[in-house]
Amino acid sequence: MDNENTFDKLPVEMISHIFEFLKLKHRKVASTVCWSWYHVSIQPRFLNKEVICLKYMNNMHDVLNIYTKSLRPYFAFRILGLEIKTEDDEDEDDVIDLTKKDCWDWVYTIWPLLASKVTYLEFFDTVKIRGGILPALLSVTQQLKVLKIRHVQYNYKKILHKVNRLQSLEELEIEYIHTFIHSEDDTKLLGVIPETLRKLCVKSLSNESKFIIKDLIKVIKFCSSHLQSLELFDVNMTYKVMKSMVNLNMNLKKFHLCIVNPIDCARLPEIISLLLKTQWPLVDLKLRANCFTYEHVFTITDTFKDLEKLSVSGRSERSFETLTGISGSSFETLSRLTKSIDSLTKLKSLYIGVER
C-alpha cells in the first residue's frame, strides 16, 4: 500500500493547481476533506478572491468568534445592513457600557482578536456607524490594505479624527456618505490615510459634503507622490479639485472622471484644459459627461500618447449625437478621429459613445 500513488501524495504545488479549477463552493467542500487540503485552500492565491459577507446579523459576536479559531493568514470582510448605535447618538461624550449584550459588543470584544489579520474591510448598504463604532474598529485594524465605505451614515463629530493613521492602507473608496450632523469643525474625515496611498475612489459627493471635498483636496496633495489611481464620480466642485492637482508632481497611471453636476459640465472646457496641463503618465483614462465633443477627444489623444485604455462617453443619446459630430462635417471629423486614435500605438481598449 505504501507504494501506491494516492492523491494525498501529490506535491502541494500540484494540488494547488488543481484547486484553481474549482469554483469557490466546490473549493470550500474540498477544504473539509483533510488538513492538507484545508491548508491549500487558505493560500493567498485563493483568499485574494474571497470576501466574507456579514449581513443583517444579530449574532455577529458568535459568528466572528468562529473566525478567531481559523488558520487563515488574513481576512476580507464586507459588512452590510447593520444598525449600530448607542442610546444617545448626539452626545459626544457617551461612555459605552461593555456589560450590556448589544449588537455592537463584538466591536470591543471579538473584533480586536481578528483585527491583526483583517486586510480588507468594506461597509456597505445603510450601515449606521454611530457612537464611535467606526473609530473603534479602525483603531485596532492597523493592517488594512483596502477600506471601502459605501452608503454609510455616521455621526460627523465622532468619525475618524481619533484614529491613528492606517500606514498599511493602499486603497480607499468612499461613496455617498450621509451625515447626521453638519458641523463647522475642522475634523479630518480622511485623516486615517497614509502618504503611501496608491488608489483613491470617491463617488457621489454632493454640495452637502463640502467639508469632505475640502478634505479630499488636502488628501490628494498629501498622497500625490504615491497615488497611481484616482477615480472621481459625481463629485461636485470638480473644477476646484482639478485645479488643486495641476501643479502636483503625480505619477497617475489611471484617472476616471464622471461629471454630473450642471455647473461642472458648464466648465468642462476648463476642466479638460487643466487635465492637459497635468502631464500625468496615464495608461487608463475614462471621462464621462453630457457635454463632450470631438475636439475634447482630439486634444486628449494628442496629449496622452501612452494610453492603453481610453473611454470618452456621454450619458444620453443627445450627448452621443454631439460627441459623434452628426452634422455637416461628420466625415471630416471621423477621418480626423481615426488618425488621432491611430497615433495611440499602445491602445488596447477604446470606447466612444453613450455609457450603457
Side-chain angles (χ1 to χ4, degrees), residues 117-169:
K117 290 185 176 182
V118 178
T119 59
Y120 176 106
L121 184 59
E122 178 179 355
F123 295 96
F124 183 78
D125 186 23
T126 66
V127 180
K128 296 182 180 180
I129 305 296
R130 305 187 184 184
I133 297 298
L134 184 55
L137 281 171
L138 296 182
S139 291
V140 294
T141 317
Q142 290 293 310
Q143 302 304 315
L144 266 184
K145 292 185 178 180
V146 179
L147 174 61
K148 298 184 179 182
I149 306 177
R150 299 175 175 175
H151 296 266
V152 168
Q153 303 178 32
Y154 66 85
N155 184 327
Y156 176 59
K157 288 185 178 181
K158 297 180 179 180
I159 193 65
L160 304 179
H161 61 288
K162 295 181 180 179
V163 181
N164 292 330
R165 200 175 296 279
L166 301 173
Q167 297 295 351
S168 299
L169 195 66

Side-chain angles (χ1 to χ4, degrees), residues 13-27:
E13 294 78 9
M14 189 172 293
I15 298 177
S16 299
H17 181 68
I18 294 173
F19 269 44
E20 287 185 346
F21 293 93
L22 299 179
K23 294 182 179 179
L24 176 59
K25 61 180 180 180
H26 297 144
R27 195 162 61 245

Side-chain angles (χ1 to χ4, degrees), residues 18-199:
I18 294 173
F19 269 44
E20 287 185 346
F21 293 93
L22 299 179
K23 294 182 179 179
L24 176 59
K25 61 180 180 180
H26 297 144
R27 195 162 61 245
K28 286 182 177 179
V29 174
S31 69
T32 64
V33 172
C34 62
W35 279 110
S36 61
W37 288 20
Y38 174 75
H39 282 287
V40 170
S41 72
I42 61 174
Q43 290 180 351
R45 69 170 76 180
F46 302 124
L47 294 186
N48 286 339
K49 303 174 184 178
E50 294 184 18
V51 177
I52 300 170
C53 185
L54 306 173
K55 59 180 180 179
Y56 309 111
M57 290 184 176
N58 295 322
N59 59 337
M60 282 284 287
H61 185 285
D62 297 331
V63 172
L64 290 176
N65 190 39
I66 295 174
Y67 289 110
T68 62
K69 301 175 177 62
S70 173
L71 297 178
R72 287 171 173 248
Y74 55 83
F75 293 95
F77 286 113
R78 178 181 295 123
I79 300 176
L80 290 81
L82 298 181
E83 187 168 331
I84 306 171
K85 57 185 178 181
T86 59
E87 292 181 359
D88 185 1
D89 294 317
E90 309 301 329
D91 187 358
E92 190 170 5
D93 298 322
D94 280 343
V95 177
I96 298 177
D97 185 0
L98 296 180
T99 63
K100 293 183 179 180
K101 186 75 173 178
D102 207 341
C103 62
W104 44 259
D105 71 326
W106 56 272
V107 175
Y108 300 91
T109 55
I110 296 298
W111 187 261
L113 302 178
L114 285 170
S116 62
K117 290 185 176 182
V118 178
T119 59
Y120 176 106
L121 184 59
E122 178 179 355
F123 295 96
F124 183 78
D125 186 23
T126 66
V127 180
K128 296 182 180 180
I129 305 296
R130 305 187 184 184
I133 297 298
L134 184 55
L137 281 171
L138 296 182
S139 291
V140 294
T141 317
Q142 290 293 310
Q143 302 304 315
L144 266 184
K145 292 185 178 180
V146 179
L147 174 61
K148 298 184 179 182
I149 306 177
R150 299 175 175 175
H151 296 266
V152 168
Q153 303 178 32
Y154 66 85
N155 184 327
Y156 176 59
K157 288 185 178 181
K158 297 180 179 180
I159 193 65
L160 304 179
H161 61 288
K162 295 181 180 179
V163 181
N164 292 330
R165 200 175 296 279
L166 301 173
Q167 297 295 351
S168 299
L169 195 66
E170 298 177 359
E171 179 179 347
L172 175 67
E173 181 175 325
I174 297 177
E175 178 180 356
Y176 186 68
I177 299 180
H178 173 72
T179 59
F180 296 119
I181 299 175
H182 296 281
S183 172
E184 298 300 326
D185 296 339
D186 190 24
T187 301
K188 301 297 184 292
L189 172 73
L190 305 178
V192 299
I193 298 178
E195 187 178 9
T196 52
L197 188 77
R198 295 191 299 110
K199 297 181 180 180

Side-chain angles (χ1 to χ4, degrees), residues 136-274:
L137 281 171
L138 296 182
S139 291
V140 294
T141 317
Q142 290 293 310
Q143 302 304 315
L144 266 184
K145 292 185 178 180
V146 179
L147 174 61
K148 298 184 179 182
I149 306 177
R150 299 175 175 175
H151 296 266
V152 168
Q153 303 178 32
Y154 66 85
N155 184 327
Y156 176 59
K157 288 185 178 181
K158 297 180 179 180
I159 193 65
L160 304 179
H161 61 288
K162 295 181 180 179
V163 181
N164 292 330
R165 200 175 296 279
L166 301 173
Q167 297 295 351
S168 299
L169 195 66
E170 298 177 359
E171 179 179 347
L172 175 67
E173 181 175 325
I174 297 177
E175 178 180 356
Y176 186 68
I177 299 180
H178 173 72
T179 59
F180 296 119
I181 299 175
H182 296 281
S183 172
E184 298 300 326
D185 296 339
D186 190 24
T187 301
K188 301 297 184 292
L189 172 73
L190 305 178
V192 299
I193 298 178
E195 187 178 9
T196 52
L197 188 77
R198 295 191 299 110
K199 297 181 180 180
L200 177 61
C201 178
V202 184
K203 300 180 180 180
S204 302
L205 293 185
S206 63
N207 286 330
E208 295 179 355
S209 304
K210 285 183 179 179
F211 63 91
I212 301 179
I213 298 174
K214 181 180 178 181
D215 205 20
L216 173 64
I217 293 174
K218 295 179 182 178
V219 167
I220 293 175
K221 291 181 179 179
F222 181 63
C223 305
S224 60
S225 60
H226 293 85
L227 205 60
Q228 296 182 7
S229 174
L230 178 61
E231 300 176 61
L232 303 174
F233 294 93
D234 190 14
V235 176
N236 287 354
M237 301 169 62
T238 301
Y239 174 78
K240 186 175 181 179
V241 175
M242 286 297 300
K243 189 175 181 180
S244 69
M245 296 190 295
V246 169
N247 297 320
L248 296 179
N249 184 23
M250 301 178 72
N251 193 35
L252 275 187
K253 302 292 185 181
K254 176 180 179 180
F255 181 62
H256 290 185
L257 177 64
C258 176
I259 300 175
V260 177
N261 185 282
I263 297 177
D264 286 328
C265 280
R267 305 194 72 171
L268 183 64
E270 298 172 77
I271 293 174
I272 295 296
S273 177
L274 291 173

